[in-house]
Amino acid sequence: MPGTPATDAPPPGDVRAGTLELRGVTKRYGPTLAVDDLSLTVPAGKVCVLIGPSGCGKTTALRMINRLIEPTAGEILIDGTDVRRRPAARLRREIGYVIQQVGLLPHLTVAQNVATVPRLLGWAKARVGPRVDELLALVGLPPGDYARRYPAELSGGQQQRVGLARALAGDPPLMLMDEPFSAVDPITRERLQTDFLRLHRAVPKTVVFVSHDIDEAVKMADVIAVMRAGRLVQFAPPAELLADPADEFVADFVGADRALKGLALTRLEDLDLPPAPTVRRGEAGGDVRDRVASGTLVPIGGAVLATGDDGHPLRWVPVAAIGDRVEATPGRTEPLLSPVTTLRDALSALFEAGASHGVVVDGAGRAVAVADVATIGGGLAAPAEKAGDA
Amino acid sequence: MSPHDVWEAFNDPNLDGPGQLATHVRLSLIALAAATAAGVALGVAAAKLGGRWTAFMVVSVSNLGRTVPTFALMALVVALTSIGERPALAGLVLLGIPPVLLNAYTAVRGVDPAVTDAARGMGFTRLGVLTRVEIPLSLPLVFAGIRISAIQIVATAVLAAAVGAGGLGVLILAGLANSDDAVLLAGAVPTALLAVGTGLVLGLAQWLLTPRGLRPRTTSHTLAPHRTAPRPPEKDTP
């Protein structure tokens, strides 16, 4: 899903999606600049997540797009047309709007709520009914069961699904979503996010999505706009944002665990891991000491990995404890990692096992490499001494 | 004294119970209509146009209006004008406005801001938000105010007799003056029944006017998708 928006293919022609462009948009409240010279372009059919700490101006920026707030300076263009060219109410009928508290009209049924914008647009009744049913089905609420219910009869997650259907009903080229999934429990949120992505793939609207949750942003966005104190500090696809934060603030905001988030995008096989320092059970002690002395065998913490004849790891053995022959009974070699394990999962496995090193085994179970915390962390300075952790 | 005596007194041509009842009802209806119109208009206007100062004034004046003794209010109106039907109506209207005004104001103010924000965001004009969102959502509370107002007006219209406007108060005052309990009750019982009946009728009206989605529910989470029970008639909200 993350990609370079500008080079991706445009959405299919029969789906309405508009290009959104903000040029030097500024909102001033007295001496305070809520939004300061914000310029960005969201290509048609892409999801742009506006993210930042509370008070950074992300919601103000969003509400200026449908003129719920009028900018002090700058211009906002949808498909090249300034939003101020039309009366605000008319403009808003062609922009989907979803908010955290949903705001369904409680005195109207689910179907009537979804029909709101088509009615405002003056659609014929014969066209509204099928459209409502289509949308309810699209958001996973069978119209037969839900059309005649009232909002108070629905769960929070169901209400937000209706909110989504309502926003899509008029087939708007642009959707504005202000923390739409923040008010529901984490499991429901996850489902709504996934369903929204599925929906977006089927009906690729241009979406501006305000969030304060970096995980949500990484998951949903084609492009993330990080804001701070009214200014845009970085505008990049999620992978780029994680890998290369523009400054300290973005790095901080992305999270102390941004490395971990990035680690989920990389697998052990992508790293240049040192080979496992293996010795065969039964190998002569003298040979082992020779190989260590010549540098062809590099013990870890003074220990080498004893394996069976099939190459399967048996246990870690201190070099100093090896006598005439390598003697090893099967012991503790956890965690065993696979080349396709993501770095994030590898670290998790290491922590779970309380080990500093994990043995990477190939498909046949042979020890092929060793992964340690420093290597996985990439560029982490290794401690000078790593003694006694065999 | 038996119920029969009361019935006789009520139908005594000199006292004209039925006629006084009709006058009582007529005075009450006129006063209620005027109080409702004024209360709703003022309440909605204050809620939509006013700020904190307006809120303070609305609440204070309304509460003041409710604490001034009714008889004192009517005496004041009589002192300022004259005796007769008009001052009696003026007093009843002034009495009836505060509950409606306060409830209309509170109701419009109390509409969930998320709902009005969503409505504006979808493209309702300001007038559309008022007429198709705020007012429908305010109806139940407004009607509760009208009901309180109506009961107060019906009960207080007894005092219209004291300023020469007639009504069931004529019988009550005559009964008191002559220590005739039958006559007193011939005025008091219909008044009480009228007040209780008004409360019941308007309570039903309030329930019927409450959009189904706003009605308190006891089984909200177990509603069958296809209901077979007939739905009570319901106002077709715009």
Side-chain angles (χ1 to χ4, degrees):
Chain A
M1 183 97 197
T4 313
T7 60
D8 281 4
D14 58 334
V15 175
R16 295 211 303 164
T19 303
L20 173 71
E21 189 179 356
L22 275 63
R23 289 187 191 155
V25 173
T26 297
K27 180 64 190 181
R28 185 186 289 277
Y29 291 106
T32 316
L33 276 169
V35 173
D36 184 4
D37 194 22
L38 178 66
S39 296
L40 57 83
T41 300
V42 185
K46 296 300 170 188
V47 179
C48 169
V49 174
L50 294 178
I51 193 166
S54 48
C56 71
K58 54 192 191 294
T59 292
T60 306
L62 183 89
R63 291 169 67 88
M64 282 192 285
I65 296 169
N66 66 356
R67 295 182 61 192
L68 286 169
I69 297 174
E70 296 286 359
T72 312
E75 50 187 1
I76 297 169
L77 306 154
I78 298 174
D79 278 335
T81 307
D82 194 312
V83 294
R84 282 168 298 188
R85 291 274 289 277
R86 284 188 299 165
R90 298 270 297 281
L91 170 80
R92 292 181 196 132
R93 291 169 198 172
E94 302 206 351
I95 300 178
Y97 186 54
V98 184
I99 56 176
Q100 183 182 339
Q101 310 87 335
V102 194
L104 296 179
L105 304 182
H107 57 303
L108 302 181
T109 62
V110 165
Q112 288 169 323
N113 266 285
V114 176
T116 306
V117 173
R119 291 251 169 85
L120 285 170
L121 288 169
W123 288 18
K125 269 204 169 143
R127 189 177 165 205
V128 176
R131 177 68 177 160
V132 168
D133 287 354
E134 176 193 344
L135 280 161
L136 285 176
L138 196 64
V139 298
L141 299 173
D145 291 344
Y146 290 93
R148 292 180 63 80
R149 292 207 198 178
Y150 283 88
E153 297 166 0
L154 304 179
S155 70
Q158 290 170 336
Q159 288 187 20
Q160 195 53 285
R161 285 172 190 275
V162 177
L164 208 53
R166 181 175 71 169
L168 283 165
D171 194 22
L174 175 65
M175 300 264 290
L176 305 179
M177 307 178 74
D178 192 353
E179 305 210 10
F181 308 140
S182 306
V184 294
D185 63 89
I187 293 168
T188 306
R189 186 182 315 145
E190 182 84 33
R191 263 215 302 265
L192 284 171
Q193 288 169 347
T194 307
D195 281 3
F196 176 75
L197 286 177
R198 176 182 54 76
L199 205 66
H200 185 257
R201 215 153 291 161
V203 192
K205 303 290 181 187
T206 308
V207 178
V208 181
F209 187 114
V210 164
S211 177
H212 63 261
D213 175 357
I214 186 69
D215 291 312
E216 181 173 69
V218 168
K219 179 173 179 182
M220 310 292 289
D222 292 303
V223 61
I224 298 178
V226 185
M227 291 182 67
R228 178 196 193 182
R231 300 193 69 96
L232 183 66
V233 284
Q234 189 165 10
F235 188 64
E240 186 183 326
L241 192 79
L242 288 174
D244 190 15
D247 60 16
E248 283 285 305
F249 169 78
V250 178
D252 257 20
F253 189 79
V254 165
D257 65 338
R258 82 177 174 84
L260 282 180
K261 293 188 178 88
L263 290 179
L265 304 172
T266 314
R267 300 178 188 284
L268 287 175
E269 62 192 357
D270 301 330
L271 296 183
D272 198 10
L273 294 174
T278 52
V279 294
R280 287 289 161 98
R281 180 167 55 183
E283 189 176 342
D287 292 353
V288 172
R289 283 182 285 274
D290 285 351
R291 285 166 61 201
V292 171
S294 67
T296 54
L297 183 67
V298 184
I300 293 170
V304 291
L305 183 65
T307 67
D309 292 339
D310 53 6
H312 289 206
L314 290 174
R315 72 182 308 153
W316 290 93
V317 183
V319 176
I322 296 174
D324 289 349
R325 301 259 164 214
V326 174
E327 288 168 23
T329 49
R332 187 170 170 276
T333 55
E334 293 88 19
L336 293 180
L337 305 166
S338 151
V340 297
T341 306
T342 66
L343 301 193
R344 186 172 192 157
D345 291 345
L347 267 188
S348 175
L350 283 174
F351 292 150
E352 193 177 328
S356 66
H357 295 75
V359 180
V360 181
V361 295
D362 63 14
R366 291 185 296 258
V368 292
V370 173
D372 67 10
V373 175
T375 316
I376 292 173
L380 291 177
E385 299 292 334
K386 293 176 131 290
D389 57 356
Chain B
M1 186 193 65
S2 69
H4 181 73
D5 297 332
V6 176
W7 182 244
E8 288 284 300
F10 184 72
N11 285 309
D12 183 331
N14 293 323
L15 293 168
D16 188 21
Q20 302 300 0
L21 175 62
T23 304
H24 199 107
V25 170
R26 188 172 54 82
L27 285 176
S28 299
L29 282 178
I30 294 170
L32 181 64
T36 299
V40 169
L42 289 173
V44 171
K48 290 302 289 178
L49 308 173
R52 265 163 216 225
W53 174 240
T54 317
F56 174 75
M57 289 300 289
V58 166
V59 174
S60 307
V61 172
S62 296
N63 284 333
L64 192 71
R66 292 165 74 175
T67 48
V68 170
T70 312
F71 195 74
L73 183 67
M74 217 163 273
L76 187 69
V77 172
V78 171
L80 291 177
T81 58
S82 63
I83 63 167
E85 193 168 295
R86 277 166 187 269
L89 277 177
L92 290 176
V93 170
L94 285 179
L95 175 80
I97 288 176
V100 181
L101 169 57
L102 201 54
N103 275 29
Y105 176 82
T106 309
V108 173
R109 273 292 166 113
V111 172
D112 183 353
V115 172
T116 48
D117 183 45
R120 286 186 65 210
M122 282 189 293
F124 279 106
T125 59
R126 283 185 186 277
L127 185 65
V129 172
L130 180 67
T131 58
R132 294 170 68 179
V133 180
E134 288 171 316
I135 288 179
L137 291 180
S138 300
L139 277 183
L141 202 49
V142 169
F143 244 77
I146 294 174
R147 184 178 168 207
I148 295 167
S149 188
I151 295 170
Q152 284 186 358
I153 287 174
V154 165
T156 311
V158 165
L159 294 175
V163 294
L168 291 167
V170 170
L171 281 75
I172 295 174
L173 292 179
L176 285 173
N178 303 319
S179 298
D180 186 336
D181 286 350
V183 174
L184 175 68
L185 287 175
V189 171
T191 304
L193 291 177
L194 202 55
V196 171
T198 301
L200 288 176
V201 168
L202 288 179
L204 182 66
Q206 180 188 343
W207 189 80
L208 291 177
L209 273 180
T210 301
R212 199 165 66 90
L214 300 182
R215 282 181 201 154
R217 257 169 298 271
T218 49
T219 55
S220 60
H221 299 293
T222 56
L223 283 173
H226 302 285
R227 59 189 78 226
T228 48
R231 285 165 57 191
E234 167 173 327
K235 184 170 176 294
D236 194 12
T237 44

